[in-house]
Amino acid sequence: MYSANNHATQPLGLAMMTNLLWKPGSKLRIGFKGGSIWQKDRVKKYALEWCKFANIAFTFVDSGELDILIAFDPTKESSSRLGVDCAWYSSQDQPSMNPNCINNNTSESLIRYAILHEFGHALGAIHEHQSPCVQIPWDKEEVYRDLGNHPIGWDIATVDYNMFSIEQNRDIQATSFDPNSIMMYEIRDNWTKNGKGVSPNLKLSCLDKGHIRLCYPNEAHDASQPNVVAARPKEKSQLATASGLDQEEATL
Ligand SMILES: [Zn+2]
């Protein structure tokens, strides 16, 4: 497990599943299951932004073994598997990622957000509002009411799971809450007891960029540092997933 002690005095943001990180320097092979040329081009255009900061390469291929398999099914929620788990699903010909709002009805900024967010999951990040470091003073009754109504229509248990549950996995490494993270959901002002919500974040935050660089360092990085981790064998999937509100984010 990653030790946060070395970074106790500096905020890192991005809550990462350290046991699901890819090996730094990996060249991930990415394929598509359906989708138009226009949809695929959106993914290729925006996903690569992560590679400016992480020592990871994305290669888009038409055949062969895949690490990430992307579908564009509008009937299923927007989601992505976490980190190396993507490779297990892809090997079973099951999409590991489904950005479902890549269409002409979605603004370019939201398309960009959706792709960056789902690729954040694919690199091992969980939702920021479910980080063990988060302390949001929820006004739960307001959240139940707003998300229980049309068009989302969630019951209480679903709201509890998607909004209030905190990831307690021991392999999560996070040292600070970053409300500006691309992995953060929008939080309306009336959903908190102090009346302070979080606006939609449409781009990578400074902490997103800094922490992904630490998780995926380049070769010059000191290999003795604890943030260098080895990828797990693909067949040992923990079947972790990240989904939930992603589908509705574009409408909130
Ligand atoms: Zn998500």
Side-chain angles (χ1 to χ4, degrees):
M1 179 182 173
Y2 183 98
S3 168
N5 291 340
N6 291 353
H7 304 283
T9 58
Q10 59 179 336
L12 292 179
L14 273 186
M16 303 292 293
M17 292 289 291
T18 56
N19 62 327
L20 297 179
L21 299 184
W22 306 88
K23 184 176 180 180
S26 294
K27 292 178 171 54
L28 305 186
R29 294 169 57 85
I30 302 172
F32 297 97
K33 197 177 183 74
S36 68
I37 292 175
W38 181 84
Q39 288 175 309
K40 296 174 185 176
D41 283 347
R42 301 268 82 61
V43 172
K44 295 173 183 175
K45 179 178 181 181
Y46 295 126
L48 289 171
E49 185 171 346
W50 281 110
C51 302
K52 296 178 184 174
F53 311 101
N55 182 19
I56 288 284
F58 295 153
T59 303
F60 296 93
V61 298
D62 295 322
S63 61
E65 189 175 349
L66 296 175
D67 296 304
I68 295 173
L69 177 58
I70 301 174
F72 300 94
D73 188 344
T75 68
K76 295 182 178 176
E77 64 185 4
S78 202
S79 66
S80 173
R81 303 293 172 178
L82 298 176
V84 294
D85 275 354
C86 296
W88 185 88
Y89 283 90
S90 301
S91 72
Q92 307 299 306
D93 199 33
Q94 298 180 39
S96 65
M97 182 185 296
N98 188 59
N100 70 355
C101 64
I102 314 303
N103 56 55
N104 290 328
N105 296 322
T106 307
S107 69
E108 197 70 14
S109 61
L110 278 176
I111 288 174
R112 177 170 175 266
Y113 156 78
I115 292 169
L116 286 172
H117 179 98
E118 300 308 342
F119 268 84
H121 288 315
L123 290 174
I126 65 169
H127 287 135
E128 190 67 13
H129 72 281
Q130 294 178 308
S131 162
C133 298
V134 74
Q135 289 183 314
I136 298 172
W138 294 107
D139 188 334
K140 292 189 176 182
E141 292 306 316
E142 292 285 310
V143 184
Y144 289 139
R145 188 195 65 206
D146 286 353
L147 293 181
N149 289 331
H150 180 79
I152 297 177
W154 284 347
D155 59 25
I156 288 177
T158 304
V159 175
D160 285 342
Y161 177 78
N162 287 331
M163 302 302 295
F164 306 139
S165 64
I166 299 297
E167 295 284 356
Q168 301 290 356
N169 190 301
R170 65 181 176 83
D171 290 314
I172 291 176
Q173 178 263 303
T175 59
S176 68
F177 170 55
D178 176 16
N180 298 315
S181 173
I182 195 74
M183 304 312 296
M184 185 71 197
Y185 280 172
E186 176 188 8
I187 296 176
R188 299 176 186 169
D189 289 345
N190 66 307
W191 291 358
T192 65
K193 291 185 175 176
N194 61 10
K196 295 181 180 178
V198 176
S199 300
N201 299 325
L202 300 177
K203 56 186 180 181
L204 302 185
S205 72
C206 291
L207 291 180
D208 288 342
K209 297 172 183 176
H211 195 190
I212 206 69
R213 196 193 305 269
L214 280 175
C215 290
Y216 294 100
N218 59 37
E219 288 79 10
H221 189 86
D222 183 352
S224 68
Q225 292 299 304
N227 53 310
V228 176
V229 297
R232 295 178 308 114
K234 292 180 180 179
E235 64 273 18
K236 291 184 178 179
S237 171
Q238 293 190 351
L239 308 185
T241 186
S243 60
L245 192 62
D246 290 359
Q247 180 177 14
E248 287 77 15
E249 280 173 327
T251 60
L252 278 174

